Amino acid sequence: MVTAYTNPILRGMHPDPSIVRVADTFYLVNSTFEYYPGISLSKSTDLLNWTPVNSVITKKSQADLTQAKSNEGIFAVCIRYFNNAFYVITTNFAEFKSFIIRGVLTDTGEIHWDDERITLNIQGIDPDLYFENGRTYVEFTGYIDDKGTKAIQQAEINLIDGSILHGPKVISYGTGGRDIEGPHIIKKDHTYYLLTAEGGTGIGHMITIFKSSSLWGPFNDSEQINPLFTNRDRANEPLQNIGHADLFQDQQQNWWLTCLGTRPANVGFTQITNLGRETLLYPVNWDSTWPKVYTGVPNQNVDLTNFPQHAAALAQPQIKTSFVDTFATKHLSPEWLSLRNSLGTDLSLTPGSLILKGRDFSLSQAATPAFLGIRQTEQQEHFKVWLDPTKTIINSGKIGIASLINNDHYAAILLQKKQGKYQVLRYQKVADLEFTDILGETTELPITLELINQPATKTFQVKTTNQEFSFTTSSLHFSNEAIAALNTGDIQGIYAIGAARLVINKAERTSN
């Protein structure tokens, strides 16, 4: 029995969580925006410890992300299980297409996803799937006039080809908060509940709920119930921007709520967010008409003393893990991400090493540069890669490590070869400002490339046998506040430009 745990349960950029249980295993999906592969997928048997598995979108036929701008691409995702198959529904904002991808469990316990998607003729985002009596319904957020008014709409569809059989029809305008979105239909005790998010995915974010005796509404709320869950008026709470939730049951039929939230860092007199939106989990008491989520306050530390049945369902304590990759297998860890598409043959694995060939694309372009990264998961965190100097070749290109939140806000420490020596460069882009500084030069390739993340700063380092080069910059430049957007979080990784080949033997992410 677990009596307490800490949020987030998935740390770093894991927004818009949706969970489904199949037998004794939970499956969780998250939005990935312009990162590839698309739609991250994790599984767990205890709700607290999650293992990343192969992502859903790995082919252009499923979703073309090559034209995705920063903070676009794969928007909110929902996962459901129906007639012995998984169904994932989402919107690719780069195509402005909503679609469904079907998957089935294989004998090895993996999910095989269809190569082709089921495209829907709906104009909106944040789609949800609801199945009843063999029929399929889609709820989504869409504009209903030319003034930008949003509402939750619903349509019945043909699950085979995605054609609309009935609707769309508006089923809720929300409580009056801005940007009503993230709908999910849940049925309990012959009553339909509509879970939504309102207030925009920032400091005003909140979870709201409505109910109806009919699937097509009208859906009503209560003055005492909404907002169902929020920290919009609790600026001192370590978790903020609470919203976009999903309700589900465990093996003992206890109800739980998963939602997104952020962990801003206090820097001086301001708060900044570098980690993006993360996945949270709370017990739900649903003994009466309306569900009550935990104590009503989205706390970081969850005490299950008053939720003994939920505590009994958690078989394993929460285990803090770090990321270490020594490339011992022929398959790339699902935690690694590229931008917009696969790196193809420019990325390869051999026993004990990863090889990244340079490309002419830069991080500034809406393209697929030779960048491979992992999420920043803590405000105080150390990212480190061990270079193989015997196999790394710079030629006329550049190699290094970078951290980015979008293609206008990133920094990198790079090496280039000049007259038989290696110059160490600081390259940084802040909005429309770009600059390059030469930090020094060395006669040998480095042993390690490192990034030290702190709440207020990021320090990039290159270490050779006898020398060290570094620069420090403000974390604010890589924060959601810097770009006035909240979709993504910081991604840190290796970077190769032009005629270069970067070979590493190990990558590690550790936190204090």
Side-chain angles (χ1 to χ4, degrees), residues 55 274 280 334:
S55 299
N274 290 94
L280 317 178

Side-chain angles (χ1 to χ4, degrees), residues 67-133:
Q67 303 303 312
K69 298 177 182 178
S70 291
N71 280 266
E72 292 187 359
I74 298 299
F75 270 42
V77 188
C78 170
I79 186 170
R80 295 294 183 254
Y81 193 75
F82 174 68
N83 281 354
N84 300 314
F86 293 93
Y87 290 90
V88 167
I89 187 169
T90 188
T91 303
N92 179 11
F93 203 81
E95 303 173 278
F96 206 74
K97 295 284 187 182
S98 292
F99 55 90
I100 298 168
I101 299 177
R102 177 181 176 272
V104 294
L105 275 172
T106 66
D107 293 338
T108 62
E110 298 176 326
I111 302 176
H112 173 75
W113 298 100
D114 289 350
D115 291 344
E116 301 295 329
R117 66 190 182 185
I118 304 164
T119 303
L120 307 177
N121 186 24
I122 61 172
Q123 298 297 309
I125 59 170
D126 294 9
D128 171 57
L129 275 174
Y130 177 73
F131 299 101
E132 184 172 85
N133 297 329

Side-chain angles (χ1 to χ4, degrees), residues 143-218:
Y143 293 107
I144 59 170
D145 57 35
D146 56 7
K147 298 178 183 179
T149 305
K150 285 183 179 181
I152 303 300
Q153 301 176 54
Q154 181 172 265
E156 182 184 352
I157 67 164
N158 182 324
L159 188 59
I160 303 300
D161 61 11
S163 60
I164 294 178
L165 303 177
H166 181 62
K169 175 187 174 182
V170 172
I171 59 172
S172 179
Y173 294 96
T175 64
R178 57 166 284 196
D179 293 333
I180 183 167
E181 56 193 16
H184 288 301
I185 289 284
I186 300 98
K187 188 176 184 181
K188 180 180 181 294
D189 299 334
H190 308 292
T191 299
Y192 299 92
Y193 291 85
L194 173 64
L195 196 65
T196 66
E198 299 182 54
T201 189
I203 57 175
H205 215 21
M206 57 182 174
I207 300 166
T208 52
I209 193 169
F210 311 85
K211 69 182 179 72
S212 173
S213 59
S214 167
L215 179 58
W216 291 96

Side-chain angles (χ1 to χ4, degrees), residues 44 139 150-151 156 165 187 208 242 256 265 279 288 298 307 315 317 337 339 342 377 379 413 415 464:
S44 173
E139 297 73 37
K150 285 183 179 181
E156 182 184 352
L165 303 177
K187 188 176 184 181
T208 52
I242 307 298
W256 297 84
T279 293
S288 57
F307 295 87
L337 298 167
L339 284 158
S342 165
T377 59
Q379 292 150 0
I413 192 164
L415 290 103
T464 71

